[in-house]
Amino acid sequence: MSGNLRFVLGDQLTRDLSALADIDPARDAVLMVEVEAEGRAVPHHRQKIAFLLSAMRHFAEALRAEGIRVDYVRLDDPDNTQDFTGELARAVARHGPKRVIVTEPGEWRVEEMMRGWAQSLPVPVEIRADDRFFCSRADFAALVRARKTGRMEFFYREMRRRTGYLMDGDTPVGGQWNFDPDNRKALPRGTRVPERRRFPPDAITREVLALTASRFGTHFGDLEPFGWAVTRADALLALDDFIAVGLPRFGDYQDAMKAGEDFLFHSLISPYLNCGLLTAREACDRAVEALGDGAAPINAVEGFIRQILGWREFVRGIYWAEMPGYADGNHLNATRPLPALYWTGDTPMRCMAECIGTTRRHAYAHHIQRLMVTGNFALLAGIEPAQIEAWYLAVYADAYEWVELPNVHGMVMHADGGRLGSKPYAASGAYIHRMSDYCTGCSYDPKVKLGPGACPFNYLYWNFLIENAAVLSPNPRMAMPYRTLARMPAAQRAEIVQAARVFLDGLPTDWG
Ligand code: FAD
Ligand code: DLZ
Ligand code: SF4
């Protein structure tokens, strides 16, 4: 082979990927590999594995249709070494390229591997920046130095100015940067929730579903019904669908939860953005167009843009700025093992059962379910950060460490001591009761604080504050709950601690 070998990973399925820029179809080849090591790095949800393998196979087809030579190694290839390093070494031996070209990955673990390739392979390895983000790693580092990234809100405003999204000269469209206060409505009873477009499996996906079932049979999660888009064309249709039926009410009900409604008005595009089938820019452009056409209101469009231009970019910046040490912190010294209910969904807490149920069915849960139900529970229960992080990384189709870790380690567990958020998102059952209908029909009562029928979130919340008082009470943003706690009679506090201990110690951790 007279050209370069361009190695494309499963979350790099973008034709404009930096590793594919300047490709010469006459001399170069693209390498793509299906390997068990990636499916087992954590025990990924079976639907996530099938989604990614199918998207990879379709992407390879699309490249071939362009006349590009693709060397594609399948999971069931008998010579497959089942890891990136082994497969790249085999491919280099097969092709004898001038150099290997890759785009920087989404996980520190894989970047370490890439650095190793530069040492171990007989050819140079060129690692290119991943330019699919609005803010490069270097730009984020410069913003950190200029102290413009302390909090997401300031970073977001800076990104609005830089990109011009929702800007009218120097001022934000609509007169304010943030419409969050308008975006916290519970879903009124009787609200019609739109059917969402799903994509029936084609022959490639069906083959991959069978392969996943046979190779990853013991992993968590339903494989079918499978409805994810696996091509760029279908991912664009999914985006169209969201813009038409979801975006107009995305803002109003961004924080709402409803039993049996797994998607509400959310976009469901994170798996596509994160594996490369859609770009962040086109998602933002479409939302801004909808605002211009009068098809969606400003609180919806700003809310959506903030998630992508703000949160998504911010967490990536934090990840790369803080790794590898970021994952090591455990600010609240949380050590409890992960309860089995995270895998089984077997719990009388209806909110937890609902959120774990949607996770099992779709490898998806929307943000507020992840943050305020399963995340809140992990925080209050004091689950060891590494264990809950591994769970979130495994169970969602959109999960890669660059985005999962800051959300779980920082936003949910406050294990980073406040680098990502200034206070933990701890909440009692009252929050879940206000934002959902889960409490209706639950074995517990959100209004009961202690004793028979008490909602566990209530006493776990106060127990969390008691247990972490030394660390959290000096935080000015925690002043109010600590004032309330200070007024609580000592006997009541003791009862809370006892109830929490009995409840938590009674949670099985073994799920077979
Ligand atoms: P929408 O609600 O429609 O939002 C639009 C887009 O905004 C999303 O597609 C996503 O790209 C982006 N976005 C929104 N919130 C965030 C955020 N906090 N961080 C980064 N991007 C955001 N998102 C992932 O992509 N991968 C993860 O592994 C992941 N893990 C999470 C773990 C926890 C504990 C929490 C609280 C959040 C996590 N998120 C993660 C963020 C968010 O929950 C998902 O992006 C969102 O639920 C995806 O569904 P959607 O596409 O319907 O999002
Ligand atoms: C998540 C995943 C899985 C399950 N399988 C593969 C695979 O077989 N081949 C591949 O190239 N990528 C896979 N991935 C995505 C990688 O884990 C991801 O590219 C790295 O974690 C870097 O972000
Ligand atoms: Fe969840 Fe408590 Fe409501 Fe039950 S009562 S659904 S446990 S918040």
Side-chain angles (χ1 to χ4, degrees):
M1 174 178 172
S2 56
N4 299 316
L5 185 63
R6 296 162 188 265
F7 187 15
V8 173
L9 307 184
D11 54 352
Q12 299 183 336
L13 310 180
T14 312
R15 182 60 186 88
D16 293 334
L17 189 77
S18 57
L20 293 175
D22 64 22
I23 188 166
D24 178 351
R27 291 147 43 99
D28 295 352
V30 169
L31 174 69
M32 296 178 70
V33 303
E34 299 177 357
V35 290
E36 283 196 7
E38 290 305 304
R40 300 196 199 287
V42 289
H44 287 293
H45 193 302
R46 290 183 299 169
Q47 211 173 115
K48 173 184 190 176
I49 296 174
F51 161 69
L52 214 62
L53 298 189
S54 181
M56 285 174 67
R57 289 184 183 195
H58 282 93
F59 186 73
E61 292 285 293
L63 292 178
R64 284 188 184 122
E66 259 191 68
I68 293 172
R69 184 149 55 113
V70 183
D71 181 354
Y72 192 98
V73 180
R74 290 178 173 232
L75 201 69
D76 49 7
D77 178 333
D79 297 326
N80 191 331
T81 58
Q82 301 297 353
D83 67 48
F84 281 157
T85 301
E87 280 316 290
L88 179 59
R90 277 201 323 129
V92 166
R94 265 197 309 278
H95 297 285
K98 273 204 184 126
R99 65 174 54 219
V100 168
I101 299 177
V102 289
T103 292
E104 62 192 12
E107 303 196 355
W108 177 269
R109 168 185 71 85
V110 181
E111 188 153 287
E112 290 274 87
M113 275 185 219
M114 284 185 176
R115 290 201 201 103
W117 300 339
Q119 307 299 316
S120 64
L121 291 173
V123 293
V125 176
E126 183 184 333
I127 304 177
R128 295 183 175 174
D130 189 345
D131 54 13
R132 295 175 296 172
F133 292 85
F134 290 103
C135 185
S136 69
R137 292 196 212 172
D139 276 354
F140 193 87
L143 285 170
V144 171
R145 282 195 297 277
R147 296 175 184 277
K148 287 190 175 176
T149 51
R151 289 284 166 244
M152 199 296 282
E153 188 62 28
F154 299 108
F155 169 77
Y156 168 56
R157 290 180 191 186
E158 181 66 20
M159 294 306 290
R160 289 269 296 272
R161 289 191 197 94
R162 286 183 179 200
T163 59
Y165 277 126
L166 301 179
M167 293 301 291
D168 199 352
D170 289 338
T171 51
V173 168
Q176 56 197 75
W177 291 102
N178 183 320
F179 288 78
D180 231 9
D182 298 342
N183 290 0
R184 296 185 184 134
K185 299 187 181 85
L187 201 69
R189 196 170 298 178
T191 306
R192 203 190 65 78
V193 176
E195 274 286 302
R196 303 307 290 274
R197 182 159 189 169
R198 306 294 283 166
F199 301 85
D202 64 2
I204 292 180
T205 302
R206 283 198 301 275
E207 193 183 346
V208 160
L209 286 168
L211 183 63
T212 307
S214 76
R215 293 291 181 121
F216 301 97
T218 58
H219 286 206
F220 170 82
D222 298 345
L223 254 182
E224 296 184 67
F226 182 97
W228 294 104
V230 290
T231 62
R232 173 157 166 78
D234 281 352
L236 283 167
L237 292 176
L239 176 60
D240 286 348
D241 180 55
F242 164 67
I243 298 287
V245 306
L247 183 64
R249 286 182 286 173
F250 174 84
D252 286 351
Y253 304 123
Q254 202 173 338
D255 288 0
M257 297 175 279
K258 184 171 165 57
E261 292 293 351
D262 295 337
F263 307 136
L264 289 174
F265 302 99
H266 291 273
S267 66
L268 319 182
I269 61 167
S270 51
Y272 312 136
L273 290 176
N274 296 352
C275 81
L277 294 183
L278 290 179
T279 68
R281 189 172 293 280
E282 67 202 350
C284 292
D285 287 348
R286 293 296 311 280
V288 169
E289 268 167 43
L291 179 71
D293 297 345
I298 181 71
N299 69 311
V301 174
E302 189 282 315
F304 182 69
I305 298 268
R306 176 151 30 91
Q307 304 314 313
I308 295 182
L309 184 63
W311 279 113
R312 187 170 187 270
E313 298 283 326
F314 185 65
V315 299
R316 176 177 187 262
I318 296 276
Y319 178 79
W320 288 110
E322 301 290 329
M323 283 301 278
Y326 189 65
D328 299 339
N330 188 354
H331 188 61
L332 300 178
N333 289 318
T335 54
R336 185 171 295 281
L338 187 74
L341 67 88
Y342 275 84
W343 298 112
T344 62
D346 185 11
T347 165
M349 302 173 77
R350 192 171 180 221
C351 53
M352 289 290 283
E354 281 285 334
C355 296
I356 293 162
T358 180
T359 302
R360 183 192 303 115
R361 283 190 293 281
H362 308 296
Y364 175 87
H366 60 73
H367 183 69
I368 217 69
Q369 295 175 313
R370 298 188 205 194
L371 180 64
M372 298 310 292
V373 181
T374 46
N376 188 26
F377 186 84
L379 173 72
L380 301 186
I383 294 170
E384 189 194 355
Q387 296 198 33
I388 189 69
E389 285 152 23
W391 184 80
Y392 275 102
L393 188 57
V395 300
Y396 292 115
D398 58 22
Y400 301 91
E401 201 180 70
W402 67 266
V403 54
E404 168 274 328
L405 190 68
N407 271 297
V408 183
H409 194 78
M411 196 183 306
V412 160
M413 298 304 289
H414 204 64
D416 63 355
R419 175 69 184 90
L420 195 91
S422 55
K423 75 174 184 70
Y425 281 85
S428 69
Y431 176 86
I432 295 171
H433 184 41
R434 189 167 67 249
M435 296 311 300
S436 77
D437 65 353
Y438 294 154
C439 303
T440 317
C442 178
S443 325
Y444 301 109
D445 185 338
K447 298 205 180 73
V448 178
K449 308 273 187 281
L450 268 172
C455 166
F457 275 108
N458 291 339
Y459 51 80
L460 291 179
Y461 172 76
W462 291 110
N463 177 65
F464 169 78
L465 291 183
I466 293 166
E467 277 193 344
N468 293 291
V471 182
L472 295 178
S473 64
N475 181 340
R477 297 205 60 208
M478 299 297 286
M480 210 156 69
Y482 275 105
R483 271 200 299 274
T484 311
L485 186 65
R487 289 195 294 272
M488 206 177 268
Q492 191 180 342
R493 290 200 207 192
E495 272 186 73
I496 284 170
V497 171
Q498 177 62 11
R501 186 165 305 146
V502 169
F503 176 83
L504 292 172
D505 289 350
L507 292 175
T509 51
D510 196 0
W511 67 292

